[in-house]
Amino acid sequence: MKLPYKWLLPLSLMLSPLAQTQEVDVQEIVKRAELAAYYAGDDGRSAARMLITDAQGRKQMRQFVILRKDREDGGSQDMMVFFSRPADVRDTVFRVVKNTDRDDDRWLYLPGLDLVKRISAGDKRTSFVGSHFFYEDVSGRSTSQDNFSLLDETDKQYVLEANPKDPGSVEFTRYQVSIDKATMLPVKIDFFDSKGENYRRVEALKTEEIQGYPTVTHSRVQDLRSGGETEMQFRFISYDLGLPDDVFSERSLRNPPRDWLELRD
């Protein structure tokens, strides 16, 4: 994540000493939260089970394995998602290259068509494989796209408000994120529309410490308008595996790296 220090520098000259301290602290909070949420270890692997419940109560399940490797801590990052169940999505692969200076690059391999489809930047906030998560949620929204301010602070949490720098590129006008002070993990994000309605919530339902890293092991996103939701549970989580760079190549879309997809604690 790139932090808007260039933006802060001239603004800080006009602020009171108290306000300057608050702005600097907010940026530090945002930086630490992003590192905790998306950059644990140099790389990582986990199995995930996604349970999708639509507004009528109908349920669908997805299972997949996620591989992730940092090119630099807090910077560019590679990610691959390999689907195994159900049968209609088996061998589908999602690839992300997380960028810090522009939109992330995203591809989806569809085995039935033997087709690699590029996900356009305009589709980043659309449904990820039929769930209530968005493509952008998988690798995380770059915080350089938003301006943050501190709304509240309690003994246990920071509550920040974020406003998009380019409102025309997103469906929300603002969001509020609650960050746990003990782990620095974001534990709840509420999105609001132009009428001030809270229409979407993403939250951590369970966190655990794994290899010394605070980790979300159960999360949920809710469509507060329709009532639908998707829960995601993670198992077999491991960090610092020494994943080679060539795992995160276009070749792996059609030829998954089986040795690295074998699950073990």
Side-chain angles (χ1 to χ4, degrees):
M1 169 185 62
K2 294 195 304 182
L3 299 178
Y5 289 123
K6 292 181 179 178
W7 173 79
L8 285 174
L9 182 59
L11 181 60
S12 68
L13 300 176
M14 302 182 288
L15 297 174
S16 69
L18 176 61
Q20 288 184 43
T21 299
Q22 185 186 72
E23 290 291 351
V24 171
D25 286 347
V26 167
Q27 297 310 313
E28 183 63 22
I29 292 166
V30 171
K31 178 180 179 180
R32 290 178 62 194
E34 186 171 51
L35 288 173
Y38 293 102
Y39 292 91
D42 293 331
D43 60 28
R45 174 182 58 205
S46 69
R49 188 174 76 164
M50 180 185 280
L51 183 62
I52 305 166
T53 305
D54 69 15
Q56 287 73 45
R58 295 171 296 198
K59 298 182 185 298
Q60 298 181 63
M61 185 268 293
R62 305 270 190 270
Q63 279 190 194
F64 48 88
V65 174
I66 303 172
L67 301 179
R68 185 263 304 169
K69 183 172 185 177
D70 303 340
R71 297 184 185 181
E72 58 181 315
D73 206 21
S76 298
Q77 191 177 68
D78 292 288
M79 182 179 294
M80 304 284 285
V81 180
F82 300 89
F83 287 83
S84 58
R85 296 179 63 187
D88 62 342
V89 298
R90 182 178 299 141
D91 296 329
T92 298
V93 184
F94 178 55
R95 180 189 178 202
V96 184
V97 177
K98 186 179 180 71
N99 302 305
T100 57
D101 57 349
R102 55 187 172 86
D103 277 320
D104 296 349
D105 296 304
R106 302 177 178 88
W107 300 267
L108 191 67
Y109 173 63
L110 304 171
L113 302 173
D114 191 26
L115 173 69
V116 178
K117 176 184 177 184
R118 188 178 183 90
I119 308 298
S120 72
D123 290 332
K124 64 184 178 182
R125 294 194 63 77
T126 59
S127 170
F128 173 64
V129 292
S131 76
H132 296 85
F133 286 92
F134 293 159
Y135 285 102
E136 189 177 59
D137 295 327
V138 178
S139 54
R141 177 175 173 80
S142 173
T143 54
S144 66
Q145 299 181 77
D146 304 316
N147 292 318
F148 291 87
S149 59
L150 182 63
L151 276 185
D152 193 15
E153 180 179 357
T154 68
D155 290 342
K156 295 184 177 180
Q157 293 184 341
Y158 298 107
V159 181
L160 308 184
E161 179 175 275
N163 292 275
K165 295 177 181 178
D166 181 8
S169 66
V170 291
E171 85 288 357
F172 61 83
T173 56
R174 64 185 177 91
Y175 63 88
Q176 293 180 9
V177 53
S178 300
I179 298 169
D180 179 71
K181 285 185 173 181
T183 63
M184 293 309 294
L185 288 172
V187 292
K188 187 173 74 170
I189 309 174
D190 281 319
F191 292 86
F192 297 84
D193 64 16
S194 59
K195 297 179 180 178
E197 180 187 3
N198 178 197
Y199 66 94
R200 187 171 190 257
R201 175 171 293 159
V202 182
E203 59 187 333
L205 300 179
K206 184 178 181 180
T207 62
E208 300 176 63
E209 185 169 299
I210 297 175
Q211 296 176 236
Y213 299 106
T215 303
V216 175
T217 56
H218 189 182
S219 62
R220 177 175 63 191
V221 58
Q222 294 174 284
D223 182 335
L224 301 178
R225 288 176 179 142
S226 73
E229 65 175 39
T230 297
E231 291 190 34
M232 191 142 60
Q233 293 180 285
F234 300 93
R235 301 185 305 152
F236 302 104
I237 301 170
S238 297
Y239 296 112
D240 297 320
L241 297 160
L243 293 170
D245 291 343
D246 61 7
V247 164
F248 301 91
S249 65
E250 184 173 348
R251 183 179 184 279
S252 291
L253 294 171
R254 291 182 171 85
N255 298 282
R258 302 294 179 192
D259 290 346
W260 294 105
L261 297 179
E262 184 179 346
L263 300 174
R264 49 187 177 270
D265 287 320

